[in-house]
Amino acid sequence: MRNFTHTENLFRVPPEVIEQLTAQADAGDALACFKVGRYHYVVQPDEDSIEKAIDYIEKAQEGGIIEADVAKAIILYNGDSGLVDREEAHNLLDKGLDHECEFAAELFSRNIINGNNGYKVDRQLAIRALEALIAESDNPMYYFLYATALEAEHSLSAARPWYEKAYNAGFLTASVNLAVCRGYNDDYELVDQDAYRDTLHAAAKAGDPTAYCVILMDELAPDIFEQEEPERTESQNKLIEGLEWCAGNGCVLAAHYLGEIYRYGQYGIEKDIEEAYSWHCQASQWGVSDSYEALYTMVAEAEIDFDPNEIDDVLDYLALQGARSQNEAMLRKAVERYNQGGLKDFDTEIEAYHIPAYNALPDEPEEDEPIDDDGRYDPYV
C-alpha cells in the first residue's frame, strides 16, 4: 500500500503495472481504484488526470477502502473537486485516524508539524504521536516525519539519527535532509562539505532524483559561466537533460527550476517563454506554490500571449490556486481580486479560509528593484 500512499513511490510504478491496475479498477476492484486514483492524482500523466483521480478514488470509497477516504480528504483540502472543504476533509481524516490508517497518521502529522490545511502548529503533539506510532511500526515515513518535527522544534543534530533511520530504511526522499545534517551544524553553517556532497552523490547513485537535482544546481550549474566551448554547451545540455530526468522521476522542484531557467535565460541557456510556461504549469500541478506565482506574473506582465478576454479568468485561477497552496503573494492577489469583484464563484471558500489568512499576514514589504536573473544572482550573498 505504501507504494501508492507515499508520493515519491508513485513516479516509479511501471506503466505496465498501471495498465493492469486500470483494467482491474474498471472491472470493479475497489483497491485497484484507489491505486489508480492516487497515481493519476499525484503523477498527472493525462490532461484529465484529476477528473480520473476523483472518479476512481470515490469508487474506492464506495468499496470501503479507508485510504481512499484520506485521499479524498487531500482532494477537499486542495479544492480539486470545486471548493476547498476543510470541515468534510477533517471528518474523513478523523475517520482514517479512528481506523488506525497509516496514510491518515502521516497526513495528520504533516498538518500539525507545518500548520497545513487549517491546523495549528503543534510539534510537541506530533513528536508524542509519532513516538507512539514508531513503537508499533517500521514505516520509514514515520521516521522522516519525526525527524522533521525534531528539526523544527529542536535542532539538526536531534533530527539526524531519524533522518539516518529513514534513509537506511529505503526512504530516499530523506537524502537531502540527511546531507544537510551531515554537512551543517545546528546554526545551518556548512562545516563538512565532503560529508554533504558524499551523501548527495550516494543517494543520486541509488536513484534519488531530488539528490541529483541538488547536485546539478549546486555543482554543475554555477561552473557553466567559467567554461569555454564546447564544454559549456555540453554542461548546459547535461543540466537540462538532468533536470528533465529529475522532474520525470518525481522531483517537483526540478520542474520549477526548468521554468526559471527558460524564463530568464539562466546559465547562458536561450530564453524560451513557452517552455518556461509549460514547466511552471507542470510544477504548479505537482504542488510547487512558487510556480503559481511565476505563472501569475508571466500572464499579468504579458510575458506570454493570452486572449485578452481570458486573462482575468486565468489570473483569478492562478491566484486562487496559489492561495490554496499557501503562497503568500498569491493569497494577497486572490483576496485583492475577490475584493475587486473577481472569484465570486468561490466566495464561501474565500470568506471562510483565505480572508482570515490574509488578515493574519504581516504588512507587505516594500518591493525591491527587479532582478535581471541570468543565473548568477545569489540571494544568499
Side-chain angles (χ1 to χ4, degrees), residues 189-300:
E189 299 167 333
L190 183 63
V191 294
D192 191 338
Q193 187 174 66
D194 288 342
Y196 172 75
R197 288 188 170 180
D198 288 349
T199 303
L200 289 175
H201 281 268
K205 187 175 180 180
D208 178 29
T210 304
Y212 186 44
C213 177
V214 173
I215 290 168
L216 290 169
M217 298 303 293
D218 275 2
E219 299 178 23
L220 176 64
D223 290 341
I224 288 175
F225 290 111
E226 309 302 323
Q227 296 171 346
E228 302 292 338
E229 294 295 354
E231 186 181 6
R232 174 183 286 195
T233 297
E234 291 171 357
S235 293
Q236 290 169 334
N237 291 338
K238 183 178 179 180
L239 176 64
I240 294 298
E241 291 168 5
L243 289 173
E244 287 176 349
W245 180 87
C246 293
N249 283 275
C251 177
V252 298
L253 282 176
H256 176 78
Y257 290 145
L258 284 163
E260 293 294 275
I261 287 169
Y262 282 118
R263 182 182 180 193
Y264 293 110
Q266 293 176 340
Y267 311 112
I269 292 165
E270 186 176 355
K271 286 186 180 183
D272 187 330
I273 293 300
E274 295 288 340
E275 195 74 11
Y277 190 84
S278 176
W279 279 111
H280 275 307
C281 283
Q282 182 66 78
S284 66
Q285 289 169 359
W286 286 340
V288 182
S289 68
D290 285 350
S291 278
Y292 282 116
E293 186 176 349
L295 290 167
Y296 186 97
T297 305
M298 292 173 74
V299 174

Side-chain angles (χ1 to χ4, degrees), residues 31 45 72 76-77 94 117 119 125-126 132 136 169 205 215 230 261 268 270 274 310 313 327:
L31 182 56
K72 183 61 180 290
L76 293 170
Y77 282 137
D94 287 343
N117 299 317
Y119 283 83
L125 173 59
E136 301 292 333
K205 187 175 180 180
I215 290 168
I261 287 169
E270 186 176 355
E274 295 288 340
E310 297 177 354
D313 289 341
N327 180 283

